Amino acid sequence: MSTTTTDRLRDTELSYRATLAGGALSVFLLIALLGLAFPGSIWGNFLTILTSRSTLSSALRLSVPITFAALGGIFSEKAGVVNIGLEGLLIISAFTAVITTAVVGPEMTVLGLPAIWIGFFAGILSSVLFSALFAVVCIRFKADQIIAGLAVWLIALGLAPFAATVYYGGVNTDNLGTTLGTWTIPVLSDIPFFGAFFDADPAVYMMLVAVPASWYVLNRTAFGRHVRASGENPKALDTVGVDVSRVRYAGVLLSGFLAGIGGSALSLGLGQFVGNNQTMVNGKGFIAIVAYLFGNYNPIGAFGASFLFAGLEAAQIRLQQVPGYAIPDSLIQTIPYVTVLVILALVGRTRIPEAAGEHYDTGDDNR
């Protein structure tokens, strides 16, 4: 890649980040100005809700499944495999985590490990197995990745409620009576507003570690360079002796691992799997795809987008609890989606890896 091209891409990236930050800041400032100017209005209440610690706590918790699925989607698509089955991976891991905990016994321990954590790891394992099946179909048998991803979603959407019906007699599981709980860091948790970061679900701490770790792996390690090359120029990667298929398998399995954490955390944070309609996952896997496109395949940007959506979701839930508004709840519920779409439109075009979605035959014929 020439220096001129590299400089142009760097300038584009900087411009993108500036636009992203400017768009988010503009929205917040607009709400703040309206809230300060009209404190008794819906905007005043909205500003109060946005700046409350409970909203921050809810936003962090709601960010977890979206962020982990988005991180998984980045690794898969950076490696060259478009994985739109993230929604299905969240569903299957959420259900498996709960059913495993229930079968073991919520109050039991096995080799010193509480049942709920056994369920947590079982949920991750189920997601990895589903992603392995997806990888074989797409990489070994060269199936259409979009169709295969939709198949993963539809299978999980049907399988989890069906299994719940067989075991519990309904699409929803019984409540376990226990959750992952909360980890509180003394002193730091007493900090006003930001103390929510230190008094949170253990999955929130995992998320805060996983985001910078994913950025580091992608940008500072040999494996990350292989993943990026597999999605940009697999022939060049093959030429230097790296097995492209192996890298792509690793990317897809990693997407299953990360999405599995998100799904397990989602259901075990509540202590129940809800299988009605689109299940309790309810589109979070597809929102994760928007998040990493919004973040331009940068783990930190994807987390920012996930947190933005989750923050708006948390705010609209609390806003519905404020009496005295004639605005229909269904309209308030659209606030996160509309805001994200507007900002996404302001941000502009995302640069997709050049070889994403394309099959590659490793071997002498391609050299």
Side-chain angles (χ1 to χ4, degrees):
M1 187 179 292
S2 68
T3 303
T4 303
T5 304
T6 303
D7 291 342
R8 188 167 60 248
L9 289 174
R10 187 183 298 115
D11 291 342
T12 302
E13 179 73 10
L14 289 173
S15 174
Y16 174 86
R17 292 177 182 175
T19 306
L20 179 67
L25 185 61
S26 298
V27 171
F28 181 78
L29 287 177
L30 178 61
I31 294 173
L33 287 173
L34 290 171
L36 291 172
F38 308 101
S41 69
I42 186 173
W43 298 109
N45 286 325
F46 200 44
L47 180 62
T48 302
I49 289 171
L50 283 180
T51 53
S52 72
R53 173 171 166 156
S54 60
T55 301
L56 176 60
S57 181
S58 297
L60 288 171
R61 180 173 46 80
L62 292 171
S63 296
V64 169
I66 302 173
T67 299
F68 273 109
L71 294 178
I74 289 174
F75 276 102
S76 181
E77 199 156 328
K78 278 283 191 181
V81 180
V82 179
N83 186 358
I84 68 166
L86 295 171
E87 178 85 358
L89 298 180
L90 287 175
I91 293 172
I92 205 66
S93 55
F95 173 74
T96 304
V98 172
I99 191 73
T100 302
T101 305
V103 169
V104 173
E107 305 301 327
M108 300 292 289
T109 59
V110 177
L111 300 176
L113 191 65
I116 199 161
W117 284 104
I118 294 174
F120 189 87
F121 294 123
I124 296 173
L125 179 61
S126 67
S127 177
V128 171
L129 291 175
F130 256 64
S131 63
L133 178 63
F134 170 75
V136 170
V137 169
C138 293
I139 299 172
R140 175 68 179 85
F141 296 103
K142 299 179 176 55
D144 186 288
Q145 294 173 11
I146 302 300
I147 295 175
L150 285 173
V152 169
W153 169 48
L154 292 171
I155 290 172
L157 185 63
L159 182 61
F162 172 75
T165 302
V166 170
Y167 192 82
Y168 291 99
V171 294
N172 302 332
T173 68
D174 293 343
N175 196 300
L176 295 171
T178 184
T179 66
L180 290 173
T182 301
W183 289 356
T184 302
I185 300 177
V187 182
L188 294 176
S189 61
D190 295 330
I191 299 173
F193 187 67
F194 294 106
F197 283 98
F198 308 103
D199 184 23
D201 188 307
V204 171
Y205 295 103
M206 294 181 196
M207 175 182 68
L208 296 178
V209 172
V211 171
S214 296
W215 182 90
Y216 183 84
V217 169
L218 273 174
N219 296 284
R220 293 290 186 271
T221 67
F223 174 70
R225 287 194 293 275
H226 293 167
V227 167
R228 287 184 284 128
S230 178
E232 295 288 351
N233 192 341
K235 187 172 183 179
L237 187 64
D238 193 13
T239 302
V240 297
V242 177
D243 190 326
V244 175
S245 294
R246 187 172 296 178
V247 173
R248 291 189 167 185
Y249 274 116
V252 176
L253 291 177
L254 202 47
S255 76
F257 176 80
L258 290 165
I261 296 175
S264 297
L266 177 65
S267 60
L268 294 180
L270 180 66
Q272 183 184 21
F273 174 78
V274 179
N276 288 325
N277 301 319
Q278 298 300 307
T279 76
M280 67 191 305
V281 175
N282 194 26
K284 291 180 174 58
F286 297 115
I287 294 170
I289 295 173
V290 175
Y292 72 70
L293 291 174
F294 189 22
N296 206 18
Y297 295 90
N298 184 321
I300 297 173
F303 168 67
S306 302
F307 184 74
L308 172 65
F309 183 87
L312 292 168
E313 179 75 11
Q316 69 87 10
I317 291 172
R318 294 202 59 199
L319 193 60
Q320 290 183 73
Q321 299 169 354
V322 178
Y325 293 116
I327 303 175
D329 290 348
S330 56
L331 183 59
I332 294 178
Q333 289 170 1
T334 65
I335 290 176
Y337 302 94
V338 173
T339 305
V340 168
L341 284 174
V342 169
I343 296 180
L344 188 60
L346 292 175
V347 167
R349 189 173 180 181
T350 299
R351 183 182 174 277
I352 299 172
E354 290 188 7
E358 297 179 3
H359 299 299
Y360 183 75
D361 290 320
T362 302
D364 294 338
D365 292 342
N366 298 293
R367 298 181 180 177

